[in-house]
Amino acid sequence: MYRGLYTDKSNLYLIFSLPTWLHSKVLMSVVCQIKDAALLDHCGITEKWFQLRNEISSRENQFEKILSQTGDIVNTSKHEDCSSLSQTGNVNNYRMKSDLFAIEFPFMMDSQVKRLSSSQASHDKISLKESSDRKRKRKKQRRINTNADVKFISDLKTSLSDLITLSRNESYLTQDTEPYQRNDLAKSASQIHGCGDLFQLLCENLDMHLNTGSHYNETVPHDLNLGDQFHYSAKSLVGVCVRNEDCKLVKVGHDEFLIPKRCSFLTSSFDYFISRGYQQMITSQGFDLLVIDPPWPNKSVKRKKSYATFNELNLKSLPVHQLGKDGGLICIWVTNKEQLINFVKDELFPHWCVEWIADWFWMKVTKSGVPVCDINSSHKKPYEQLIIGRCNLSAGQVVTRIHKTLNNQLVEKQREKEMSPARLPQNFLIVSVPCSLHSKKPPLSDVFSPYLPPNPNCIELFARNLVPEWSSWGNEPLRHQHSDYFEPVLE
């Protein structure tokens, strides 16, 4: 019988020191925490996010009428044989497919697994290391670790070891795994098509209309509230700020998407967003937390064509002053490329009038708590960095935000007096089993909750999924909300 966050106890994580019978009642993404590290349950928290109050409407005639009137771009590649969540009966709870998080063993190439699983495994381990060393020597010489790097890695290992040991002792992480598994379930799940590039194409169409002087934007409302209607054309969701109150399953074209409660999102290109789109998302009090996940230039992304990247200098055009509030947190995900880290801290943050305050790290581990690759490797790291700053709108010559009035300033000052969030740690380690979908980050709501005011306003930029009670912008914020990525939760 289904109990708690997963059907399998080995997939659960330590939930503080609560008795076993309470584990199934706790539905937070932060499920285990020590002083300087926290363990997240990414898959489990999605069950809380997607509890439907109503099933999808069966008004197919209205749906077909919408398509015929709009001449919409639709995803027809799997229309006939797709597995629809709306056809699963009276199920009202859903979560992301557990196979997406079936990371049983550290990441390896298929050739490495084949060698290691052979009858001469012990010999192959040696030859594998030698082979890897030879390959690395052929590549450009990488930066040698400095004393600071060595200390950082040592501290990282200590925090990780303490957290994993605590979780394993409570049997919420497995002690070990079967040797030389290839994470086949996770690899297969990562190939799910979803809606493909549907919304990217529609964003390009919108830009084309605007660049040719078309009045396309004048025919579309700036806001759209998802009410009782369950059928929409994909085109009607592009270039408008969509707001939703209750969690629901909606049809867009021939696709289905799960929309979490009390969220808003804008689907548009970068140029549209910085020129006018951001104004559709501005709140009266500004955002307390901005999370930015840019499409950094990356050889792996370029090779796999996972998404379009752009020059990092374009980030200076983001309207951080208009979206953020004075004293609000600005968080930006970066790769482990030293050049990009220095760019954010030394160039981008000063340009935004943002003061650097912390470096957090996300460590990706297997279901047994082992890093997905060697932490000492100079080639590929098992962690990503989250650089955190605080918005200082009073510094330098900053244009006043258009949404700030004198009354709002007084309200904000009173609000700041009433709340006293905890002091943000300068270094912190987030640990979780990663989703096998490319570049999908862990949920941050619960991690940042102690450092934000009550009921904070949060937004993610370059989003590829939605979060309850958050705003999201990107050219495909619905991509990972597609029903293909979810499964029903059976009681």
Side-chain angles (χ1 to χ4, degrees):
M1 181 175 178
Y2 178 78
R3 58 186 294 273
L5 302 179
Y6 285 88
T7 58
D8 171 3
K9 191 176 181 181
S10 67
N11 286 335
L12 283 169
Y13 301 107
L14 175 63
I15 304 179
F16 300 101
S17 57
L18 295 175
T20 304
W21 66 272
L22 271 179
H23 289 168
S24 63
K25 304 298 182 182
V26 179
L27 285 171
M28 293 179 61
S29 59
V30 178
V31 290
C32 177
Q33 186 163 354
I34 58 177
K35 180 180 178 181
D36 54 357
L39 194 60
L40 272 61
D41 179 7
H42 190 166
C43 182
I45 190 61
T46 59
E47 181 189 341
K48 179 183 178 182
W49 288 357
F50 301 105
Q51 298 176 350
L52 302 185
R53 296 180 59 182
N54 298 298
E55 286 298 310
I56 191 169
S57 171
S58 59
R59 292 173 287 180
E60 295 295 334
N61 291 336
Q62 179 184 1
F63 167 58
E64 297 297 339
K65 182 179 180 181
I66 291 174
L67 290 182
S68 64
Q69 290 177 345
T70 60
D72 200 9
I73 297 177
V74 296
N75 179 27
T76 59
S77 60
K78 56 181 183 58
H79 177 50
E80 297 300 329
D81 58 351
C82 67
S83 176
S84 170
L85 288 187
S86 63
Q87 298 172 0
T88 55
N90 295 322
V91 177
N92 288 321
N93 288 9
Y94 301 92
R95 67 178 178 192
M96 293 201 73
K97 288 184 174 179
S98 55
D99 284 355
L100 290 167
F101 300 87
I103 310 297
E104 306 282 354
F105 197 74
F107 297 158
M108 304 179 73
M109 301 293 290
D110 288 343
S111 58
Q112 292 174 309
V113 175
K114 185 177 180 180
R115 282 200 294 265
L116 287 173
S117 59
S118 68
S119 59
Q120 298 179 345
S122 59
H123 170 73
D124 288 340
K125 286 180 182 178
I126 297 174
S127 58
L128 173 63
K129 183 179 186 303
E130 292 174 348
S131 175
S132 299
D133 290 342
R134 284 197 298 270
K135 288 180 180 179
R136 289 191 184 123
K137 287 178 182 177
R138 295 190 194 110
K139 295 183 179 181
K140 181 177 65 175
Q141 186 68 34
R142 296 183 180 275
R143 181 175 64 88
I144 299 175
N145 286 342
T146 63
N147 291 334
D149 295 329
V150 173
K151 184 180 185 304
F152 161 72
I153 292 176
S154 176
D155 292 343
L156 209 61
K157 285 182 176 179
T158 301
S159 297
L160 179 64
S161 176
D162 292 345
L163 187 65
I164 297 305
T165 299
L166 185 61
S167 301
R168 283 178 175 171
N169 288 342
E170 295 291 332
S171 300
Y172 291 103
L173 285 175
T174 57
Q175 295 295 333
D176 46 36
T177 60
E178 296 180 13
Y180 319 131
Q181 293 188 35
R182 293 182 296 178
N183 301 320
D184 287 341
L185 290 177
K187 285 185 178 181
S188 177
S190 70
Q191 301 303 313
I192 295 174
H193 185 266
C195 63
D197 297 332
L198 169 65
F199 288 101
Q200 289 188 40
L201 295 173
L202 288 170
C203 288
E204 293 173 4
N205 286 352
L206 174 59
D207 282 355
M208 181 179 65
H209 281 284
L210 296 176
N211 292 335
T212 57
S214 168
H215 297 291
Y216 177 93
N217 60 317
E218 296 179 4
T219 65
V220 179
H222 281 198
D223 290 282
L224 173 65
N225 292 310
L226 299 183
D228 296 330
Q229 182 178 333
F230 288 87
H231 294 151
Y232 296 88
S233 69
K235 182 178 178 181
S236 69
L237 303 182
V238 176
V240 301
C241 184
V242 181
R243 306 182 190 278
N244 182 53
E245 185 59 29
D246 297 320
C247 179
K248 55 173 60 73
L249 181 65
V250 300
K251 271 196 171 182
V252 179
H254 290 308
D255 297 283
E256 290 181 342
F257 296 87
L258 274 165
I259 312 297
K261 66 179 180 180
R262 293 195 291 276
C263 72
S264 63
F265 61 94
L266 172 66
T267 304
S268 78
S269 67
F270 179 81
D271 290 340
Y272 181 92
F273 179 72
I274 63 174
S275 63
R276 69 195 79 187
Y278 73 90
Q279 299 182 42
Q280 299 168 235
M281 309 200 75
I282 285 177
T283 68
S284 60
Q285 297 177 336
F287 287 100
D288 300 287
L289 174 65
L290 277 77
V291 176
I292 307 171
D293 187 12
W296 298 109
N298 183 289
K299 289 182 179 180
S300 174
V301 172
K302 184 177 181 181
R303 182 176 64 254
K304 297 178 180 178
K305 298 181 180 179
S306 303
Y307 50 77
T309 62
F310 70 173
N311 191 295
E312 60 266 24
L313 294 176
N314 291 333
L315 293 173
K316 291 184 175 182
S317 302
L318 284 175
V320 171
H321 300 146
Q322 288 79 4
L323 292 170
K325 63 177 295 185
D326 200 19
L329 296 178
I330 311 295
C331 308
I332 183 165
W333 289 102
V334 293
T335 63
N336 291 306
K337 190 174 182 180
E338 187 175 14
Q339 178 184 349
L340 295 179
I341 294 172
N342 293 336
F343 167 73
V344 171
K345 292 184 177 181
D346 300 335
E347 191 171 343
L348 189 59
F349 271 13
H351 178 79
W352 287 342
C353 292
V354 171
E355 177 188 5
W356 171 86
I357 59 173
D359 287 329
W360 286 17
F361 293 86
W362 170 37
M363 178 69 69
K364 309 170 196 176
V365 299
T366 67
K367 289 165 62 176
S368 61
V370 178
V372 296
C373 54
D374 185 4
I375 196 171
N376 294 307
S377 171
S378 61
H379 176 60
K380 185 175 179 62
K381 301 292 186 182
Y383 55 81
E384 294 186 37
Q385 188 168 346
L386 184 65
I387 302 177
I388 305 173
R390 194 173 297 280
C391 206
N392 186 6
L393 298 182
S394 59
Q397 297 179 355
V398 181
V399 179
T400 303
R401 302 202 312 273
I402 62 174
H403 64 280
K404 270 213 167 190
T405 63
L406 179 59
N407 182 58
N408 286 336
Q409 292 176 6
L410 294 175
V411 170
E412 289 182 51
K413 287 182 179 180
Q414 181 62 30
R415 183 185 182 193
E416 290 171 0
K417 290 180 180 180
E418 294 174 354
M419 63 87 179
S420 55
R423 183 180 180 85
L424 187 84
Q426 186 169 336
N427 296 108
F428 195 78
L429 182 65
I430 300 169
V431 181
S432 74
V433 177
C435 178
S436 58
L437 295 175
H438 185 78
S439 192
K440 189 169 180 63
K441 303 301 191 294
L444 297 176
S445 301
D446 294 330
V447 182
F448 276 97
S449 179
Y451 316 111
L452 296 172
N455 303 314
N457 295 317
C458 306
I459 186 172
E460 180 178 4
L461 306 184
F462 301 101
R464 304 178 95 194
N465 62 273
L466 306 178
V467 178
E469 301 178 358
W470 278 49
S471 298
S472 304
W473 163 76
N475 65 351
E476 47 182 3
L478 287 178
R479 186 180 186 95
H480 294 157
Q481 300 304 130
H482 196 279
S483 62
D484 284 358
Y485 299 116
F486 292 84
E487 63 188 6
V489 176
L490 302 177
E491 300 262 340

PDB file of all heavy atoms in Angstrom, residues 465-478:
ATOM      1  N   ASN A 465       9.426  25.016 -15.610  1.00  0.00           N
ATOM      2  CA  ASN A 465       8.357  24.370 -14.851  1.00  0.00           C
ATOM      3  C   ASN A 465       7.732  25.413 -13.931  1.00  0.00           C
ATOM      4  O   ASN A 465       8.251  26.527 -13.784  1.00  0.00           O
ATOM      5  CB  ASN A 465       8.884  23.190 -14.036  1.00  0.00           C
ATOM      6  CG  ASN A 465       9.906  23.603 -13.000  1.00  0.00           C
ATOM      7  OD1 ASN A 465      11.110  23.690 -13.293  1.00  0.00           O
ATOM      8  ND2 ASN A 465       9.462  23.882 -11.786  1.00  0.00           N
ATOM      9  N   LEU A 466       6.613  25.069 -13.311  1.00  0.00           N
ATOM     10  CA  LEU A 466       5.884  25.979 -12.437  1.00  0.00           C
ATOM     11  C   LEU A 466       5.979  25.500 -10.992  1.00  0.00           C
ATOM     12  O   LEU A 466       6.134  24.314 -10.725  1.00  0.00           O
ATOM     13  CB  LEU A 466       4.416  26.067 -12.859  1.00  0.00           C
ATOM     14  CG  LEU A 466       4.138  26.432 -14.317  1.00  0.00           C
ATOM     15  CD1 LEU A 466       2.631  26.439 -14.573  1.00  0.00           C
ATOM     16  CD2 LEU A 466       4.753  27.776 -14.685  1.00  0.00           C
ATOM     17  N   VAL A 467       5.862  26.449 -10.071  1.00  0.00           N
ATOM     18  CA  VAL A 467       5.914  26.165  -8.631  1.00  0.00           C
ATOM     19  C   VAL A 467       4.709  26.828  -7.976  1.00  0.00           C
ATOM     20  O   VAL A 467       4.385  27.979  -8.307  1.00  0.00           O
ATOM     21  CB  VAL A 467       7.215  26.704  -8.006  1.00  0.00           C
ATOM     22  CG1 VAL A 467       7.247  26.458  -6.496  1.00  0.00           C
ATOM     23  CG2 VAL A 467       8.430  26.067  -8.678  1.00  0.00           C
ATOM     24  N   PRO A 468       4.024  26.149  -7.064  1.00  0.00           N
ATOM     25  CA  PRO A 468       2.884  26.763  -6.388  1.00  0.00           C
ATOM     26  C   PRO A 468       3.276  28.066  -5.692  1.00  0.00           C
ATOM     27  O   PRO A 468       4.338  28.159  -5.072  1.00  0.00           O
ATOM     28  CB  PRO A 468       2.468  25.708  -5.347  1.00  0.00           C
ATOM     29  CG  PRO A 468       2.994  24.423  -5.875  1.00  0.00           C
ATOM     30  CD  PRO A 468       4.268  24.760  -6.592  1.00  0.00           C
ATOM     31  N   GLU A 469       2.432  29.077  -5.851  1.00  0.00           N
ATOM     32  CA  GLU A 469       2.588  30.375  -5.193  1.00  0.00           C
ATOM     33  C   GLU A 469       3.808  31.135  -5.699  1.00  0.00           C
ATOM     34  O   GLU A 469       4.261  32.085  -5.060  1.00  0.00           O
ATOM     35  CB  GLU A 469       2.646  30.203  -3.671  1.00  0.00           C
ATOM     36  CG  GLU A 469       1.386  29.532  -3.108  1.00  0.00           C
ATOM     37  CD  GLU A 469       1.444  29.320  -1.615  1.00  0.00           C
ATOM     38  OE1 GLU A 469       2.466  29.656  -1.004  1.00  0.00           O
ATOM     39  OE2 GLU A 469       0.456  28.802  -1.053  1.00  0.00           O
ATOM     40  N   TRP A 470       4.345  30.746  -6.836  1.00  0.00           N
ATOM     41  CA  TRP A 470       5.453  31.453  -7.479  1.00  0.00           C
ATOM     42  C   TRP A 470       4.992  32.000  -8.824  1.00  0.00           C
ATOM     43  O   TRP A 470       4.026  31.522  -9.423  1.00  0.00           O
ATOM     44  CB  TRP A 470       6.624  30.509  -7.724  1.00  0.00           C
ATOM     45  CG  TRP A 470       7.518  30.267  -6.545  1.00  0.00           C
ATOM     46  CD1 TRP A 470       7.136  29.924  -5.282  1.00  0.00           C
ATOM     47  CD2 TRP A 470       8.947  30.304  -6.541  1.00  0.00           C
ATOM     48  NE1 TRP A 470       8.237  29.754  -4.489  1.00  0.00           N
ATOM     49  CE2 TRP A 470       9.367  29.972  -5.225  1.00  0.00           C
ATOM     50  CE3 TRP A 470       9.918  30.582  -7.508  1.00  0.00           C
ATOM     51  CZ2 TRP A 470      10.716  29.922  -4.877  1.00  0.00           C
ATOM     52  CZ3 TRP A 470      11.252  30.520  -7.153  1.00  0.00           C
ATOM     53  CH2 TRP A 470      11.645  30.199  -5.849  1.00  0.00           C
ATOM     54  N   SER A 471       5.744  32.988  -9.308  1.00  0.00           N
ATOM     55  CA  SER A 471       5.607  33.451 -10.685  1.00  0.00           C
ATOM     56  C   SER A 471       6.766  32.863 -11.483  1.00  0.00           C
ATOM     57  O   SER A 471       7.847  32.619 -10.936  1.00  0.00           O
ATOM     58  CB  SER A 471       5.646  34.979 -10.746  1.00  0.00           C
ATOM     59  OG  SER A 471       4.569  35.542 -10.031  1.00  0.00           O
ATOM     60  N   SER A 472       6.546  32.640 -12.761  1.00  0.00           N
ATOM     61  CA  SER A 472       7.577  32.041 -13.607  1.00  0.00           C
ATOM     62  C   SER A 472       7.575  32.700 -14.972  1.00  0.00           C
ATOM     63  O   SER A 472       6.510  32.984 -15.530  1.00  0.00           O
ATOM     64  CB  SER A 472       7.341  30.530 -13.772  1.00  0.00           C
ATOM     65  OG  SER A 472       7.283  29.876 -12.522  1.00  0.00           O
ATOM     66  N   TRP A 473       8.771  32.939 -15.501  1.00  0.00           N
ATOM     67  CA  TRP A 473       8.887  33.421 -16.876  1.00  0.00           C
ATOM     68  C   TRP A 473       9.927  32.581 -17.614  1.00  0.00           C
ATOM     69  O   TRP A 473      10.945  32.175 -17.052  1.00  0.00           O
ATOM     70  CB  TRP A 473       9.324  34.884 -16.952  1.00  0.00           C
ATOM     71  CG  TRP A 473       9.812  35.194 -18.339  1.00  0.00           C
ATOM     72  CD1 TRP A 473       9.046  35.383 -19.449  1.00  0.00           C
ATOM     73  CD2 TRP A 473      11.180  35.208 -18.773  1.00  0.00           C
ATOM     74  NE1 TRP A 473       9.852  35.532 -20.566  1.00  0.00           N
ATOM     75  CE2 TRP A 473      11.168  35.422 -20.170  1.00  0.00           C
ATOM     76  CE3 TRP A 473      12.406  35.043 -18.126  1.00  0.00           C
ATOM     77  CZ2 TRP A 473      12.339  35.501 -20.920  1.00  0.00           C
ATOM     78  CZ3 TRP A 473      13.578  35.107 -18.871  1.00  0.00           C
ATOM     79  CH2 TRP A 473      13.543  35.350 -20.259  1.00  0.00           C
ATOM     80  N   GLY A 474       9.663  32.356 -18.896  1.00  0.00           N
ATOM     81  CA  GLY A 474      10.603  31.689 -19.784  1.00  0.00           C
ATOM     82  C   GLY A 474       9.942  31.497 -21.132  1.00  0.00           C
ATOM     83  O   GLY A 474       8.763  31.827 -21.317  1.00  0.00           O
ATOM     84  N   ASN A 475      10.696  30.956 -22.082  1.00  0.00           N
ATOM     85  CA  ASN A 475      10.059  30.700 -23.384  1.00  0.00           C
ATOM     86  C   ASN A 475       9.390  29.328 -23.419  1.00  0.00           C
ATOM     87  O   ASN A 475       8.804  28.941 -24.423  1.00  0.00           O
ATOM     88  CB  ASN A 475      11.073  30.845 -24.529  1.00  0.00           C
ATOM     89  CG  ASN A 475      12.176  29.804 -24.484  1.00  0.00           C
ATOM     90  OD1 ASN A 475      12.300  29.049 -23.515  1.00  0.00           O
ATOM     91  ND2 ASN A 475      12.997  29.768 -25.526  1.00  0.00           N
ATOM     92  N   GLU A 476       9.462  28.584 -22.297  1.00  0.00           N
ATOM     93  CA  GLU A 476       8.729  27.323 -22.185  1.00  0.00           C
ATOM     94  C   GLU A 476       8.520  26.949 -20.708  1.00  0.00           C
ATOM     95  O   GLU A 476       8.928  25.869 -20.268  1.00  0.00           O
ATOM     96  CB  GLU A 476       9.463  26.202 -22.923  1.00  0.00           C
ATOM     97  CG  GLU A 476      10.954  26.124 -22.646  1.00  0.00           C
ATOM     98  CD  GLU A 476      11.629  25.024 -23.435  1.00  0.00           C
ATOM     99  OE1 GLU A 476      10.947  24.351 -24.243  1.00  0.00           O
ATOM    100  OE2 GLU A 476      12.838  24.814 -23.228  1.00  0.00           O
ATOM    101  N   PRO A 477       7.866  27.812 -19.928  1.00  0.00           N
ATOM    102  CA  PRO A 477       7.655  27.494 -18.504  1.00  0.00           C
ATOM    103  C   PRO A 477       6.710  26.315 -18.270  1.00  0.00           C
ATOM    104  O   PRO A 477       6.668  25.784 -17.163  1.00  0.00           O
ATOM    105  CB  PRO A 477       7.062  28.791 -17.942  1.00  0.00           C
ATOM    106  CG  PRO A 477       6.408  29.450 -19.119  1.00  0.00           C
ATOM    107  CD  PRO A 477       7.290  29.116 -20.283  1.00  0.00           C
ATOM    108  N   LEU A 478       5.986  25.902 -19.302  1.00  0.00           N
ATOM    109  CA  LEU A 478       5.091  24.753 -19.176  1.00  0.00           C
ATOM    110  C   LEU A 478       5.743  23.436 -19.607  1.00  0.00           C
ATOM    111  O   LEU A 478       5.114  22.383 -19.512  1.00  0.00           O
ATOM    112  CB  LEU A 478       3.826  24.962 -20.017  1.00  0.00           C
ATOM    113  CG  LEU A 478       2.804  25.978 -19.510  1.00  0.00           C
ATOM    114  CD1 LEU A 478       1.640  26.085 -20.500  1.00  0.00           C
ATOM    115  CD2 LEU A 478       2.285  25.591 -18.140  1.00  0.00           C
TER     116      LEU A 478
END
